[in-house]
Amino acid sequence: MCGIVGYLGKNEKKEILLDGLQELEYRGYDSAGIAVIEGKNLNQFKAIGKLENLREKTKNYQTKGFGISIGHTRWATHGKPTELNAHPHLGDYSYVVHNGIIENYQALKAELQAEGVKFLSQTDTETIVHLFEKENKTSKSVFQAFKNTIERLDGAYATLLITQADTDTIYFAKHGSPMLVGFNGDDVYFASSDTPIIGKATEVYYLEDGEYGYAKEGVFKLFDANGEKTFKKQALTADKVLAQKDGYRFFMEKEIYEQSRVISETMMGRVLDDTIALDELGSDFFEGINSVKICACGTSYHSALTAAYLLERLAKVRCDIEIASEFRYKDPLLTPDTLFITISQSGETADTLEALKMAKRAGLKSLSICNVDNSSIVRESDAAILTRAGIEKGVASTKAFATQTMVLWILALYIGQEKKTISKDVLKTEIDAMLHTPKALVVTDTLHEKLHRLSKRYLHGHGFFFIGRDIFFPLALEGALKLKEISYMHAEGYPAGEMKHGPIALADSELFTIALMPKSMHYDKMKSNVEELSARDATICAISPLPFELADDFIQTKYDSHPMLEFFEMMVVTQLLALEISVRLGNDVDMPRNLAKSVTVE
Ligand code: M6R
């Protein structure tokens, strides 16, 4: 995901921009660039690949005295990762950086091209700078030209613009993508998150959607649809680790709360009004493919299991799931009409990587679903879809699972759409549900508080069974994995209908059953399975939108119109329950014993 840094002041601008961009590296990027205006001098540098390449290119460049500057790390959406497509984008005399997607860029570009404007890149961003320069020909001020420009943009953006028409001012606007402003005396900083400006700015203002304005030495003006507005700066912590946790106690907690936001990033540019777009895959990507095999480990394996239901049900494609460490040694039968998908948060998991290499040796086409661009698994695959979760620090994976599952849901719909196995009406219903997912992932204070109180009843016992049916079975597996990773208590995920084939023998009051009881999928069947356990005195914690009389503890969910919305909402409940139990037990939530974030050994 793109990252933005801006700086206005007298300090060395190149270093501020490059250090700031370094702090945003975790968002993933494939090119980077900076632009600086000092007096009438305008300097610009761009490089593809890692920031070291940009550092190398700028090693003999130093800024002096007062100036304005913007920098950007680009994660390609429109157009390949090339220097021409890297930001900042240049008009005739202005530069712009942008994070987000300008949805109406094609119409704007056509309009500008018809007037003779030449475009150098394939990006949506370049339209902003040309539109600005067009507006600047007729507007009464540079600010008015900037305002007119952003009023014509549809979509999501955080953007900074500098221009030789006004060499001491940075223009900014935010709508749908994150941006904040840092202050320290007359120095002004802009960034996509606060880590680039910690230690530099002392105060911060987090811009709201619809806000725009400009900064110049000693002047900062903020506007929204109602005109100029006042705003309150807040003190910025000097502690980077604390800031990285955004006030949460643990990275895992922060990452659970982030899910609602990052899932929108996962969908951005892919889930459109009535169609699914996956620019990462060429138009003939599924030619000759009749089945899919997915290989992964741990949490990623659970998202794969969820995908098997979605791919068969929505895309009508046969789908097998394999644990990578098993797949490697089973002499699998592989046929070239099978698409081999690997799922990995880190992109470095040794077993998954080796499974991918085996599939490639057997001549299979490969696709990876991964959170880390340029990781080994991404590099090894024919194509990759990035999950865009942002860096995940908690060893117990949360937002990676949510975003992987979203990508797989998108993929199932995309295959169905391309192979025409899904009707327009079903596609529309699925897309509507997808667009509601961010809401289903919101953590409310009431929910968190309830799970905090409930957790004290689950600190003992001889084990937990998480049970569910259909896609709620892999969710049960994932819920159990979360709990055992950070509580060190035994927990198992089980298909609810299987309990009576053995595990029910364990049922007594000290067996805790976490029952996932969605309304929109097999509710009555699930209810019968839970009743069987309750009849044997198992302690039941039911998670459902429908009240359930036999529950010892009951967590009522809200979203009952679509199984995937119920899935995501219940996922949050299981994550928070595990977190609160672990906290009460005094465990290290972010770094549980014996575990590593990335398992790069067999
Ligand atoms: O990076 P990967 O997704 O390939 O990692 C796979 C597993 O090691 C990982 O999901 C692990 O199970 C997590 N600790 C789960 O919380």
Side-chain angles (χ1 to χ4, degrees):
M1 255 130 349
C2 305
I4 287 181
V5 177
Y7 170 67
L8 175 152
K10 293 194 178 79
N11 293 323
E12 163 57 80
K13 282 156 278 298
K14 178 187 81 175
E15 289 305 327
I16 289 174
L17 295 178
L18 291 178
D19 290 351
L21 293 176
Q22 194 107 41
E23 294 289 345
L24 296 175
E25 272 196 310
Y26 71 87
R27 299 164 72 89
Y29 67 103
D30 38 51
S31 58
I34 60 170
V36 180
I37 297 183
E38 286 175 310
K40 287 284 170 202
N41 293 333
L42 196 149
N43 284 291
Q44 181 227 219
F45 303 87
K46 294 184 189 189
I48 52 170
K50 290 286 157 204
L51 271 172
E52 292 133 45
N53 302 342
L54 188 61
R55 279 198 192 277
E56 181 60 28
K57 274 197 168 175
T58 55
K59 69 175 184 225
N60 297 322
Y61 171 64
Q62 267 192 326
T63 65
K64 304 168 210 73
F66 175 83
I68 53 176
S69 59
I70 55 178
H72 190 266
T73 44
R74 173 174 185 256
W75 182 83
T77 52
H78 295 88
K80 294 199 165 13
T82 60
E83 274 194 26
L84 272 185
N85 286 335
H87 302 212
H89 284 286
L90 173 68
D92 286 332
Y93 54 88
S94 318
Y95 276 114
V96 73
V97 290
H98 159 233
N99 176 8
I101 289 181
I102 306 299
E103 284 164 5
N104 60 335
Y105 89 100
Q106 271 158 331
L108 294 172
K109 186 170 176 175
E111 174 189 314
L112 291 159
Q113 280 173 326
E115 292 167 15
V117 175
K118 294 268 177 295
F119 278 75
L120 295 174
S121 76
Q122 301 156 301
T123 65
D124 51 338
T125 303
E126 196 182 342
T127 50
I128 304 176
V129 72
H130 293 306
L131 193 58
F132 164 75
E133 292 188 351
K134 173 186 157 164
E135 290 291 337
N136 200 35
K137 287 181 190 149
T138 50
S139 300
K140 63 179 190 310
S141 68
V142 173
F143 175 58
Q144 188 62 44
F146 181 71
K147 180 171 182 284
N148 294 350
T149 304
I150 54 168
E151 277 171 1
R152 296 203 56 200
L153 306 180
D154 291 339
Y157 51 83
T159 186
L160 297 178
L161 181 141
I162 56 175
T163 173
Q164 282 176 305
D166 189 0
T167 54
D168 63 356
T169 309
I170 297 184
Y171 293 89
F172 63 88
K174 176 210 175 334
H175 186 77
S177 298
M179 189 154 69
L180 50 88
V181 198
F183 302 89
N184 188 352
D186 281 348
D187 286 0
V188 182
Y189 300 82
F190 294 89
S192 304
S193 72
D194 49 14
T195 42
I197 64 169
I198 288 172
K200 299 185 171 80
T202 51
E203 291 178 304
V204 67
Y205 174 69
Y206 295 88
L207 291 165
E208 303 278 348
D209 283 348
E211 290 183 339
Y212 62 96
Y214 60 87
K216 56 169 68 191
E217 209 171 7
V219 180
F220 184 85
K221 294 279 185 193
L222 184 71
F223 301 82
D224 66 9
N226 301 317
E228 189 173 347
K229 64 188 286 192
T230 53
F231 64 100
K232 227 172 150 192
K233 299 172 193 171
Q234 43 180 288
L236 180 67
T237 175
D239 181 336
K240 222 164 236 183
V241 177
L242 198 69
Q244 284 169 345
K245 286 190 191 158
D246 274 351
Y248 293 100
R249 296 167 296 172
F250 310 99
F251 282 112
M252 181 189 177
E253 186 177 36
K254 173 179 173 241
E255 286 154 9
I256 293 171
Y257 274 76
E258 273 176 355
Q259 292 177 117
S260 169
R261 180 177 58 76
V262 294
I263 212 84
S264 301
E265 304 250 15
T266 308
M267 289 191 282
M268 193 183 285
R270 294 170 175 161
V271 182
L272 310 176
D273 282 350
D274 50 11
T275 173
I276 299 287
L278 278 177
D279 294 345
E280 296 87 339
L281 310 180
S283 55
D284 57 354
F285 193 77
F286 293 101
E287 241 165 58
I289 297 295
N290 294 315
S291 69
V292 165
K293 193 181 270 298
I294 313 184
C295 226
C297 302
T299 287
S300 299
Y301 169 71
H302 296 154
S303 71
L305 289 175
T306 312
Y309 291 92
L310 301 177
L311 282 161
E312 298 210 343
R313 187 169 292 142
L314 296 169
K316 308 288 177 226
V317 176
R318 207 179 63 239
C319 180
D320 300 320
I321 311 298
E322 306 260 10
I323 290 182
S325 54
E326 285 298 309
F327 174 81
R328 285 179 66 178
Y329 299 103
K330 68 183 275 203
D331 294 331
L333 290 177
L334 298 171
T335 51
D337 65 344
T338 301
L339 173 66
F340 194 80
I341 302 182
T342 48
I343 307 176
S344 175
Q345 188 286 128
S346 61
E348 303 296 344
T349 301
D351 284 322
T352 311
L353 180 59
E354 192 47 43
L356 168 60
K357 288 181 180 165
M358 274 172 63
K360 284 187 71 183
R361 283 196 293 273
L364 270 63
K365 187 182 268 187
S366 58
L367 168 67
S368 60
I369 292 169
C370 191
N371 196 32
V372 182
D373 197 8
N374 290 313
S375 56
S376 305
I377 287 176
V378 167
R379 279 185 277 117
E380 196 69 38
S381 305
D382 294 323
I385 306 178
L386 295 181
T387 48
R388 308 180 186 164
I391 196 165
E392 188 181 65
K393 291 203 169 169
V395 166
S397 189
T398 51
K399 61 178 181 169
F401 177 71
T403 52
Q404 286 165 350
T405 308
M406 174 54 86
V407 164
L408 289 157
W409 186 12
I410 292 173
L411 182 68
L413 292 184
Y414 181 74
I415 299 177
Q417 174 186 281
E418 297 305 292
K419 287 192 169 265
K420 303 201 178 7
T421 52
I422 190 168
S423 73
K424 285 211 162 101
D425 286 348
V426 173
L427 183 61
K428 184 79 186 111
T429 309
E430 294 294 306
I431 288 178
D432 285 348
M434 273 178 174
L435 296 174
H436 278 90
T437 312
K439 281 201 193 127
L441 288 169
V442 168
V443 182
T444 62
D445 289 349
T446 323
L447 174 69
H448 200 157
E449 177 55 26
K450 169 148 191 154
L451 290 164
H452 167 69
R453 279 187 286 110
L454 215 72
S455 59
K456 63 177 171 289
R457 303 222 271 269
Y458 294 93
L459 308 177
H460 58 96
H462 59 73
F464 288 76
F465 269 91
F466 285 68
I467 58 170
R469 283 175 167 263
D470 204 283
I471 52 172
F472 295 86
F473 160 51
L475 183 59
L477 288 171
E478 176 58 12
L481 178 64
K482 281 302 76 92
L483 185 64
K484 70 183 137 207
E485 281 187 293
I486 58 174
S487 74
Y488 316 145
M489 292 200 287
H490 182 71
E492 261 187 83
Y494 232 78
E498 268 293 295
M499 290 299 282
K500 62 167 93 55
H501 296 286
I504 203 165
L506 293 169
D508 64 17
S509 61
E510 291 292 287
L511 179 80
F512 299 138
T513 302
I514 313 292
L516 307 177
M517 304 176 72
K519 181 182 165 207
S520 60
M521 190 164 249
H522 312 312
Y523 180 78
D524 290 335
K525 300 260 174 253
M526 191 62 206
K527 191 164 164 253
S528 312
N529 297 142
V530 182
E531 280 164 0
E532 287 156 12
L533 281 154
S534 167
R536 277 132 191 114
D537 211 23
T539 296
I540 309 291
C541 174
I543 307 174
S544 178
L546 299 176
F548 180 58
E549 275 177 9
L550 297 176
D552 297 276
D553 284 316
F554 179 62
I555 299 151
Q556 188 153 28
T557 47
K558 288 195 281 233
Y559 291 86
D560 59 10
S561 60
H562 191 287
M564 287 305 286
L565 291 180
E566 295 205 60
F567 178 99
F568 282 117
E569 191 181 4
M570 289 186 187
M571 177 199 74
V572 171
V573 173
T574 58
Q575 293 168 341
L576 283 172
L577 182 63
L579 175 97
E580 287 302 326
I581 291 175
S582 171
V583 175
R584 282 194 189 268
L585 291 170
N587 297 344
D588 187 339
V589 171
D590 284 331
M591 274 190 269
R593 69 184 185 201
N594 308 337
L595 297 179
K597 182 67 188 157
S598 183
V599 185
T600 52
V601 289
E602 205 185 325

